[in-house]
Amino acid sequence: MAEDQPKPVGPDLGQGIALAQLPDGGKLVGHVGDDEVLLVRRGAEIFAVAAHCTHYHGPLVDGLVVGDNVRCPWHHACFDLRTGEALRAPALSPLACWTVEQQSGKIFVREKRAEKETTVRVGRSGTVPEKIVIIGGGAAGFAAAERLRRVDYQRSITMLSDDDAPPVDRPNLSKDYLAGTAPEDWVPLRPDSYYPDNAIDLRLKAHVASIDPRAREVALADGSKIPFDRLLLATGAEPVRLSIPGADQPHVHTLRSLGDCRAIIARAQTARRVVVLGASFIGLECAAALRTRGIEAHVVAPEKRPMERIMGPQMGDFIRTLHEEHGVIFHLEDTASAIDGKWVKLKSGAELEADLVIVGVGVRPRTQLAEAAGLSVDRGVVVNAYLETSAPDIFAAGDIARWPDPHSGESIRVEHWVVAERQGQTAALNMLGQREKFTSVPFFWSQHYDVPINYVGHAENWDDIAIDGDIPAKDCVLRFNRKGRTLAVASIYRDLESLEAELAMENVSA
Ligand SMILES: Cc1cc2nc3c(=O)[nH]c(=O)nc-3n(C[C@H](O)[C@H](O)[C@H](O)COP(=O)(O)OP(=O)(O)OC[C@H]3O[C@@H](n4cnc5c(N)ncnc54)[C@H](O)[C@@H]3O)c2cc1C
Ligand code: FES
């Protein structure tokens, strides 16, 4: 993501620093020329890598070093300090690395090392599939294709997406891009040239109509058929649409794709007042983004507190107050009954004027293809720990997948960007015959104005919430506990604790 590079900070590492300035286990940021470089010391070894995460430029010096890896404080990407390799999404590009020398009690950072074309290679045991087909051009589908090429898979990859845009950074669509504070070139996950350059046959506006698991082929809506040796289902989720009168009018929008977002932005050019139906993450992020554009925002939702079911009452109250401080007007414990021209009618009898309506009442996993193909479906496509569906050589990842989460001990399905990407990456390796279990601790983030909320783990219910810090002061950690175990941790500006909680959860299985 493009960003103005700040002036290099810290000591000039080319000139060298005293070894004593970097104690064992320590981290330090300096510069070499215009590049900011992170130095990490582990015993006698010293690593020098780019100081900022390749996802959204998070400061790795504030992250967590675990073994030979560093984890980003913002959205928990993980990098190999030896090679710079992006080991875990959401970062997909490696960090630059520098050569380090030690002389006479000083550390010198020398030349930048050439990026290795491929730093991970998978074993070639078993048969390498000739044709891999991915249905879905979103988080999971893209991360799978990217991982396949990164591990040097050289055969055919076909990616089918019924969207008209190549894979995009979907979380941005309800945040900076919608707010008008991020340029459009932040939105694609890769430039258009990436796909031909990497021999990924990305077919847009290609709606898959059916899958034949026995014949091992998928049929497109235009009647054409595409054979596969391995298939990844990554069809994501679609917004739930309201069936109330007037919900089909042109000023009523849902938000999933870049096209949806562009349509909202076009309407926002002249809109004075938006009514957001639903106090979900996406609904509230949209309200925040449109407030940034100076549009009056009303949020209508049936619950007593926004996001209470996921974040608990204390965080729910905070989120409400935060939005109210920015001018959002809530109409809680109420729902829309009709959209009549420029008026949204509520069950309570109230009427709200709106020239833009955004429906954010949740999403439904796109499981129709899997169901019709006879795959096991239970509120999501059922997969095992290897992300295999009930049909041989067909895998599923992302918002559609219900997988056995070893941490909660439950079969869960979540709608998180990072989980979708990491599942895509694991599925990619398993399609090549690896047997890698998907064991990542679920993680998501949400951004409201200048307040990021990070959430690690998974708690559908809890006995108590232990609060450390001060929620209104935007400095807190909330631990969701059940039967004496912490199942999930939500935090605001306590990034290190969020990373430490993730690490602790990795080491505990239900
Ligand atoms: C506006 C917005 C903001 C979000 N913000 C956050 C956030 O801040 N943090 C977070 O953790 N998560 C966030 N999410 C959720 C996150 O984006 C999803 O969890 C993630 O995109 C899921 O990835 P996926 O690959 O499963 O599905 P998707 O990314 O939805 O991709 C599915 C793909 O499948 C294609 N497809 C579906 N059916 C067919 C078919 N029959 N034929 C061909 N193609 C098909 C679709 O066109 C699409 O390309 C946000 C979501 C939205 C919409
Ligand atoms: S900025 Fe590092 S993971 Fe997002």
Side-chain angles (χ1 to χ4, degrees):
M1 183 164 296
E3 217 166 272
D4 287 340
Q5 293 296 316
K7 253 184 108 194
V9 295
D12 182 343
L13 301 173
Q15 298 295 316
I17 58 163
L19 186 59
Q21 279 181 262
L22 187 66
D24 189 11
K27 304 193 237 49
L28 176 154
V29 175
H31 67 275
V32 178
D34 286 340
D35 291 319
E36 283 186 25
V37 174
L38 172 73
L39 280 186
V40 177
R41 178 168 169 191
R42 291 196 68 238
E45 266 192 302
I46 293 165
F47 304 103
V49 296
H52 291 276
C53 177
T54 57
H55 178 229
Y56 284 2
H57 214 63
L60 295 174
V61 70
D62 297 334
L64 184 68
V65 173
V66 181
D68 293 350
N69 303 332
V70 61
R71 299 183 182 195
C72 177
W74 285 1
H75 315 113
H76 295 201
C78 176
F79 298 92
D80 186 326
L81 285 166
R82 283 178 202 285
T83 63
E85 183 70 28
L87 299 173
R88 291 187 188 176
L92 299 170
S93 302
L95 296 173
C97 298
W98 281 259
T99 304
V100 180
E101 274 176 26
Q102 292 185 50
Q103 271 175 19
S104 322
K106 286 186 86 175
I107 305 167
F108 296 90
V109 177
R110 303 297 192 201
E111 69 284 350
K112 196 187 270 189
R113 297 201 321 243
E115 194 190 317
K116 285 188 192 159
E117 291 240 316
T118 301
T119 48
V120 196
R121 267 171 210 274
V122 294
R124 285 284 177 264
S125 57
T127 46
V128 177
E130 286 297 324
K131 292 179 171 48
I132 293 184
V133 172
I134 297 169
I135 308 179
F142 176 81
E146 200 274 346
R147 179 53 58 107
L148 284 167
R149 285 299 182 235
R150 195 169 282 280
V151 298
D152 207 21
Y153 174 69
Q154 293 182 356
R155 315 279 166 85
S156 156
I157 303 175
T158 304
M159 194 193 278
L160 304 167
S161 170
D162 62 6
D163 202 340
D164 54 7
V168 295
D169 185 16
R170 215 176 287 294
N172 222 317
L173 302 182
S174 52
K175 302 180 183 68
D176 293 345
Y177 181 62
L178 181 61
T181 53
E184 176 125 353
D185 63 7
W186 280 21
V187 175
L189 287 179
R190 287 285 187 273
D192 289 357
S193 57
Y194 170 83
Y195 302 94
D197 289 353
N198 287 278
I200 296 170
D201 181 10
L202 170 63
R203 302 196 200 171
L204 299 175
K205 297 189 213 166
H207 180 75
V208 177
S210 64
I211 302 165
D212 186 336
R214 278 168 189 261
R216 288 170 180 259
E217 60 184 22
V218 300
L220 298 186
D222 66 9
S224 57
K225 297 199 167 154
I226 300 172
F228 64 82
D229 297 314
R230 303 280 186 280
L231 177 69
L232 176 62
L233 268 173
T235 48
E238 61 197 343
V240 172
R241 284 165 210 280
L242 290 179
S243 52
I244 57 173
D248 54 355
Q249 294 174 83
H251 70 297
V252 182
H253 296 258
T254 54
L255 175 56
R256 185 78 191 180
S257 65
L258 178 58
D260 296 338
C261 191
R262 284 189 180 134
I264 295 173
I265 291 171
R267 178 106 11 209
Q269 307 300 327
T270 53
R272 248 178 0 94
R273 198 195 244 208
V274 60
V275 169
V276 177
L277 302 179
S280 63
F281 288 110
I282 289 177
L284 289 179
E285 287 183 355
C286 285
L290 293 171
R291 287 296 302 135
T292 308
R293 288 181 179 266
I295 296 173
E296 188 179 324
H298 292 250
V299 174
V300 178
E303 53 267 40
K304 218 160 118 190
R305 291 186 177 92
M307 296 205 255
E308 181 175 7
R309 195 179 54 78
I310 299 165
M311 293 279 183
Q314 300 89 343
M315 192 70 108
D317 284 340
F318 165 73
I319 290 167
R320 175 181 179 160
T321 307
L322 174 68
H323 282 271
E324 285 176 341
E325 282 167 3
H326 286 82
V328 173
I329 299 159
F330 283 92
H331 306 264
L332 297 172
E333 298 182 86
D334 210 345
T335 52
S337 55
I339 303 168
D340 183 1
K342 297 272 180 217
W343 295 91
V344 179
K345 297 190 168 180
L346 306 188
K347 288 240 166 75
S348 62
E351 295 192 353
L352 302 174
E353 196 179 349
D355 36 22
L356 170 59
V357 178
I358 297 180
V359 180
V361 295
V363 296
R364 192 177 288 128
R366 295 179 75 175
T367 55
Q368 300 89 332
L369 278 176
E371 269 171 75
L375 272 51
S376 173
V377 172
D378 169 21
R379 296 161 296 144
V381 178
V382 177
V383 293
N384 63 15
Y386 305 100
L387 305 178
E388 296 165 310
T389 68
S390 57
D393 298 330
I394 302 183
F395 295 73
D399 283 6
I400 56 161
R402 181 171 290 278
W403 85 99
D405 170 38
H407 310 289
S408 61
E410 293 162 5
S411 264
I412 65 172
R413 188 187 71 75
V414 300
E415 291 144 15
H416 305 346
W417 179 257
V418 169
V419 171
E421 287 189 323
R422 291 180 182 174
Q423 288 188 342
Q425 294 175 329
T426 298
L429 298 182
N430 290 339
M431 287 194 290
L432 299 183
Q434 300 280 293
R435 297 296 284 169
E436 185 177 297
K437 288 186 177 175
F438 182 76
T439 56
S440 286
V441 175
F443 169 82
F444 75 82
W445 81 97
S446 183
Q447 178 88 28
H448 305 255
Y449 313 97
D450 60 338
V451 180
I453 303 174
N454 281 2
Y455 182 102
V456 63
H458 183 80
E460 285 180 16
N461 47 64
W462 52 83
D463 303 328
D464 68 276
I465 303 174
I467 302 174
D468 178 18
D470 185 344
I471 303 178
K474 301 169 194 163
D475 171 27
C476 59
V477 175
L478 279 68
R479 292 175 201 281
F480 299 79
N481 300 318
R482 195 168 70 211
K483 294 186 186 151
R485 258 190 73 198
T486 299
L487 295 181
V489 171
S491 59
I492 299 175
Y493 290 124
R494 292 278 193 101
D495 293 335
L496 201 52
E497 282 164 81
S498 175
L499 284 167
E500 283 164 351
E502 178 183 60
L503 185 63
M505 288 179 206
E506 281 169 14
N507 297 324
V508 179
S509 293

